[in-house]
């Protein structure tokens, strides 16, 4: 059927990219984007990096007040009608209507679901055993620009901080808090970053973190416990910790509440096909979606993953089976404790790298692993390298780094 | 339109190069070089995707 009206739910980078891609592909019908946040899309990765590694207007690299702007992206050019500060509350798949809060609905021929995810809260998981509403320590999480600004404000008085969660976000938050002069304890039930990156890269980051004064505490699952002005955290092994402020970074949950009753969910999750489709007229992209990868059906809640998924979904919506299938190529980066990492290929990687090339500066290194599945993963630590080159290193091995030598006579 | 780079912001991710290899590249030192600053027609779409993909918003499209 011809698509005359397309509705996009979610105004993050996936929703934005979907709108851009639909327009680039020639869609000139009615385009409407519904977004719960009142802002145009901004860069979430910047929230835990430049924005957090600065207080009082100065940032890591002396960029001054610019740090407060680090998340701002250029204004959209897709000329969609934008309903900002509006949430979709339901979906009628048969009638092809998105229901909106405050009543009313939007009819569509095509729908893009890009409602992203939200921070998991530790307190939610504690249920009745959790701290009481009134004496519960305030649990900070970091997902939105409002969260980031609030956290910055709290950090200005240099409180002691407990960060719960040893993933990339927890580590970036810990790095930011340390950077501005707080005393920081990181609680992680595994070695920080090991689940995401593997032991080798995790050790590099943990060593740098500890050198900069981070206190890392194991001890099993953490629980928040109420206590006056500050916060108390109790670990499974009985260890008790106290600080002025608790920030949790214990993962994210897809925003699929508005899809309950739509029949689009499989075992409670949104699973698209290799062209981003749930049905011929409904696609999904970004942090909200599970999609097929070489390592099985996964959710990959990362920036370039959201962008690439959105491009695939836009094509899948307009072209159906004629659209190209998604060949997901992971790209990941993180920074903190003076280290910057970029990696191409699936992680975590097991064991020590198979190839290692030191860079010109101290601590700068290029690494490659041969994975058991025959594919490579390449990582650059404090090493400036174009991503296409890093990709060649991952795919073809170290030979790809050398200039092609002229054929011998 | 003109592609402008805010050089101090650029962190050398090179995601922009992946989006628009015909318009820009990172040199061997990891510095971004804009090969085709003035863009129109089909290049404009590529330039827009490059600007969009940059997670630190170091690139901008300005009226030429
Ligand atoms: C602090 C932080 C640091 C990060 N750092 C990195 C990094 O270094 N590298 C990396 O690759 N990735 C990083 N990420 C992940 C990356 O930012 C996300 O993968 C990406 O932003 C996901 O985009 P999205 O559009 O799918 O979802 P979102 O950005 O979550 O956008 C979804 C939007 O939809 C809105 N919405 C939700 N429900 C509804 C509804 N019912 N109706 C209307 N609107 C709705 C939401 O309010 C939101 O604005 C980071 C994330 C965070 C939070
Ligand atoms: S994507 Fe942005 S940060 Fe990365 S090289 Fe391009 S301009 Fe620089």
């Amino acid at each position: 059927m011809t698509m005359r009206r397309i509705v996009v739910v979610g105004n993050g980078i996936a929703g934005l990219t979907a709108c851009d891609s639909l327009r680039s592909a020639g869609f000139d019908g009615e385009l409407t984007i519904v977004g719960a946040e009142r802002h145009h899309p901004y860069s979430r990765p910047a929230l835990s990096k430049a924005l957090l590694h600065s207080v009082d207007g100065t940032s890591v690299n002396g960029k001054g007040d610019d740090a407060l702007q680090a998340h701002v992206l250029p204004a959209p050019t897709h000329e969609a009608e934008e309903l900002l500060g509006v949430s979709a509350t339901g979906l009628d798949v048969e009638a092809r209507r998105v229901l909106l809060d405050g009543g009313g609905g939007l009819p569509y021929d095509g729908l893009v679901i890009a409602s992203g995810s939200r921070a998991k809260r530790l307190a939610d998981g504690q249920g009745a055993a959790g701290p009481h509403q009134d004496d519960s320590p305030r649990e900070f999480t970091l997902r939105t620009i409002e969260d980031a600004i609030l956290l910055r404000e709290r950090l200005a008085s240099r409180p002691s901080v407990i960060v719960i969660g040893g993933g990339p976000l927890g580590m970036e938050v810990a790095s930011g808090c340390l950077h501005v002069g707080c005393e920081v304890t990181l609680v992680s039930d595994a070695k920080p970053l090991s689940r995401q990156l593997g032991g080798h890269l995790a050790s590099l980051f943990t060593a740098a973190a500890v050198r900069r004064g981070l206190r890392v505490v194991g001890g099993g699952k953490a629980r928040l416990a109420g206590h006056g002005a500050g916060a108390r955290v109790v670990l499974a092994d009985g260890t008790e910790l106290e600080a002025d402020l608790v920030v949790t970074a214990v993962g994210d949950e897809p925003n699929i509440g508005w899809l309950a009753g739509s029949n689009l969910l499989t075992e409670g999750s949104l699973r698209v096909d290799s062209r981003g489709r749930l049905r011929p007229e409904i696609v999904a992209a970004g942090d909200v979606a599970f999609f097929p990868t070489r390592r099985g059906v996964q959710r990959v809640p990362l920036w370039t993953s959201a962008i690439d998924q959105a491009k695939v979904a836009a094509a899948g919506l307009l072209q159906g089976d004629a659209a190209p299938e998604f060949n997901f190529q992971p790209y990941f980066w993180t920074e903190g404790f003076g280290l910057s990492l970029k990696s191409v290929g699936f992680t975590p990687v097991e064991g020590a790298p198979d190839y290692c090339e030191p860079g010109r500066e101290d601590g700068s290194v290029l690494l490659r692993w041969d994975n058991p599945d025959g594919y490579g993963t390449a990582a650059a630590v404090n090493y400036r390298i174009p991503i296409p080159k890093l990709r060649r290193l991952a795919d073809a091995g170290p030979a790809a780094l050398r200039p092609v030598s002229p054929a011998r006579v | 339109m003109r592609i402008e780079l805010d050089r101090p912001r650029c962190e050398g991710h090179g995601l922009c190069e992946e989006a628009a290899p015909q318009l820009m590249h990172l040199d061997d030192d990891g510095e971004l070089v804009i090969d085709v600053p003035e863009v129109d027609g089909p290049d404009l779409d590529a330039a827009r995707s490059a600007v969009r993909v940059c997670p630190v918003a170091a690139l901008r499209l300005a009226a030429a």
Side-chain angles (χ1 to χ4, degrees):
Chain A
M1 71 164 287
T2 48
M3 298 257 164
R4 306 228 327 250
R5 279 181 304 207
I6 298 182
V7 171
V8 177
V9 175
N11 61 329
I13 191 67
L16 171 66
T17 306
C19 288
D20 283 346
S21 307
L22 289 166
R23 290 299 194 211
S24 305
F27 174 72
D28 59 3
E30 245 175 74
L31 188 58
T32 309
I33 181 159
V34 186
E37 288 187 84
R38 288 175 188 284
H39 324 278
H40 281 136
Y42 51 88
S43 169
R44 285 194 208 287
L47 301 183
S48 53
K49 301 181 182 67
L51 216 70
L52 205 61
H53 285 71
S54 68
V55 272
D56 312 334
T58 42
S59 70
V60 209
N61 32 24
K63 286 179 199 164
D65 275 328
D66 195 36
L68 260 182
Q69 295 293 314
H71 64 291
V72 178
L73 295 179
T77 52
H78 45 59
E79 296 182 349
E81 183 182 351
E82 295 173 288
L83 304 178
L84 302 185
V86 177
S87 293
T89 49
L91 176 64
D92 186 335
V93 171
E94 295 318 314
R96 298 194 175 174
R97 260 171 86 84
V98 172
L99 310 178
L100 302 179
D101 60 354
L106 290 171
Y108 63 81
D109 302 319
L111 172 67
V112 180
I113 297 175
S115 47
S117 62
R118 61 182 181 279
K120 246 185 214 162
R121 302 188 80 87
L122 210 53
D124 291 345
Q126 289 179 208
H132 284 293
Q133 218 53 52
D134 34 332
D135 69 345
S136 71
R138 174 86 204 264
E139 174 185 7
F140 281 78
T141 54
L142 180 55
R143 178 79 198 176
T144 65
I145 179 65
E146 286 81 7
D147 295 341
I149 289 172
L150 197 64
L151 188 55
R152 270 178 65 103
E153 281 170 10
R154 281 302 310 271
L155 292 180
S157 62
R158 312 290 186 275
S160 56
V161 183
I162 297 174
V163 178
I164 302 179
L169 182 54
M171 285 290 269
E172 287 181 6
V173 169
S175 169
C177 296
L178 266 186
H179 184 84
V180 301
C182 302
E183 188 184 297
V184 188
T185 305
L186 181 89
V187 177
S188 178
D189 52 0
K191 181 170 170 189
L193 295 177
S194 60
R195 274 195 210 119
Q196 294 78 19
L197 301 178
H200 187 86
L201 290 169
S203 297
L204 278 181
F205 271 83
T206 307
V210 169
R211 266 199 311 277
R212 292 197 172 213
L214 182 71
R215 177 172 165 228
V216 180
V217 177
K221 264 189 146 18
R223 200 167 54 78
L224 301 175
H227 139 87
R232 202 155 54 89
V233 172
V234 182
L235 306 186
D237 69 0
T239 311
E240 291 198 12
L241 303 165
E242 278 187 19
D244 301 323
L245 192 69
V246 177
V247 186
T248 61
V250 291
D252 65 318
E253 288 175 315
N255 291 320
I256 48 174
W258 66 284
L259 297 170
S262 68
N263 283 333
L264 290 178
L265 304 176
T266 314
E267 287 163 27
S269 59
L270 209 54
R271 299 179 186 204
V272 301
D273 72 6
S274 57
R275 295 182 177 85
R277 294 172 303 183
L278 291 149
R279 293 166 61 103
E281 80 285 5
I282 304 181
V283 294
D287 285 5
V288 74
F290 284 76
F291 61 95
T293 75
R294 218 166 47 220
R295 291 201 177 171
V297 175
Q298 304 185 3
R299 205 165 61 84
V300 183
L302 294 173
W303 184 257
T304 47
S305 157
I307 291 173
D308 293 346
Q309 288 181 65
K311 290 180 180 168
V312 166
L317 188 58
L318 295 178
Q319 299 165 33
D321 287 341
E325 286 188 285
F326 192 17
N327 174 20
F328 175 63
Q329 307 272 0
Y331 171 65
F332 173 77
W333 81 97
T334 184
E335 54 193 58
F337 315 107
L339 293 181
S340 128
L341 166 83
K342 296 172 190 175
S343 81
V344 168
F346 284 88
T347 55
V349 275
E350 281 169 37
D354 300 290
Y355 170 81
C356 178
E357 182 183 305
R360 268 176 287 179
E361 283 149 47
D362 220 24
S364 128
V365 67
L366 203 54
L367 305 165
R368 181 180 189 278
W369 284 259
D370 292 315
N371 297 319
D373 63 2
Y375 293 90
T377 297
V381 180
N382 287 12
Y383 193 113
R384 261 176 107 97
I385 180 173
I387 301 311
K389 202 166 167 187
L390 195 61
R391 223 178 263 294
R392 286 198 295 278
L393 173 64
D395 292 346
L401 294 177
R402 317 270 166 258
V404 183
S405 49
R408 284 203 201 155
V409 189
Chain B
M1 302 285 274
R2 198 182 154 74
I3 308 175
E4 291 178 351
L5 172 67
D6 182 347
R7 195 164 291 281
R9 265 192 173 209
C10 171
E11 293 172 355
H13 286 295
L15 296 174
C16 53
E17 173 178 6
E18 278 211 303
Q22 71 275 38
L23 304 179
M24 56 196 76
H25 75 278
L26 281 164
D27 70 12
D28 285 343
D29 294 328
E31 292 289 331
L32 185 67
V33 180
I34 308 218
D35 302 300
V36 186
E38 305 289 342
V39 287
D40 56 21
D43 280 350
L44 195 53
D45 275 342
R48 285 213 175 97
S49 338
V51 166
R52 193 66 75 214
V53 78
C54 175
V56 292
L59 289 170
R60 233 162 48 92
L61 267 177

